[in-house]
Amino acid sequence: MSFMPDLLAAAAAAVPFDPETATRAYLDTLQGAARAKSDAYFEGGYWLPLWSALISLLVYGAMLQFGWAAKWSSWASRLTHREWLKPAIFSVPFIVTASILTLPWSLYTGYFREHQYGMSNQSLGQWFSEAGIGLGVGLVINIIFFTIIYAVIRKSPRRWWLWGAGAVGVLVAFMIMLAPLFIDPLFNKYTPMKGGPVRSEILRIAHEQEIPAHDVYVVDASRQTKRISANVGGLGPTVRIALNDNLLNRSNIQGIKAVMGHEMGHYKLHHIVSLLAYVVLMAAAGLFILWWAAPRILAAYGDRWGVRSVADPASAALLSILLALLGVPGGILFNSIGRHHESEADAFGLEAAREPDGFAMTAMQLSEYRKIEPAAWEEMLFYDHPSGRTRVRMAMDWKAKHLAELPPEQRGMIVMTPPAEPK
């Protein structure tokens, strides 16, 4: 018989576990140039939504000012007399032109900035290839959306904002359901995880939480990024457990269990459904503002732009400007919703996986590109997840509360570090 567990338990009891001290020990593992880079990357992102809104204003404003939107609408009318089809035809030059005009900005935010901070593994050719696939997917989605939203505008001029919000909800729900089968595989390869302790532990936790999954998929995300990630994606029959190869290669089993417990929390807490409800409510609020503002703006400037009414597909340029402006405060609100969901999933994951130090270690890994100790106002405005400090402290508070339930070797103050990053 071995007395080692008893000795470890006695040692842990002799030095009381302090969550604040343990939290600080984890936070102090990110110092110097690494912390400065993380802070600079994340703080620079504070301004990206504002610049994106300004660029949208310029691009869609040019479509109105130079009469492009009106010409595309006339072109669609010449091609077909079917009113329901005109918005679909109009959407093609509208989306393609917007994508071309915003390409420099997309290149900066999606490629050059990511390489500047060492977050991307893509070559320029790979980036353009995926951008082309994204444009194709976006065209299909927008053709469907334009057809629906302008049909609603024509049929219900007084309540199109309400029916439009419902249409947004239905379309987003279908995208979530179909993405694992038809969209995600366009960008990444999903491979069933080989048998072993990691797969067994993930499925054990899933079955304990009554999640209907019988396999785990590995995503080759390392071809694009250095970020770690996982999800329980899909909706209804398309639910799928997946983790990217960065998480598999850069973490240990404790960290992987902690992440997967968190992701299973999103599923068990019905966050996809509640997020859909928030999307519909926010869409209703935004579309109501558009319903009120767009006719008034067109009354003043519509003749100059050649846009007859909101029912004219050419009004999409004006609606896009208004949506871009509303997107700045809307993004802050959506951050708060997301942060609340993530915090709930964190708490669920700690209970499901029971790996507080694995959770804290992962929070530190995520802080490679998220400012780890923001001011309260920063976290409130710009974080769609809790900050690293918040998450590590939650894990250490959970550990202190459940100390007696943990194995003896996990009861002391541990600063768990991930395996070395593969060369």
Side-chain angles (χ1 to χ4, degrees), residues 344-358:
E344 287 186 332
D346 285 350
F348 183 98
L350 284 165
E351 291 290 341
R354 306 185 73 79
E355 293 287 356
D357 285 291

Side-chain angles (χ1 to χ4, degrees), residues 376-397:
W377 65 269
E378 289 177 285
E379 190 161 359
M380 181 180 69
L381 293 177
F382 300 116
Y383 281 67
D384 57 359
H385 288 63
S387 67
R389 177 190 59 203
T390 300
R391 298 180 112 172
V392 173
R393 182 56 192 261
M394 175 186 278
M396 295 302 98
D397 284 339

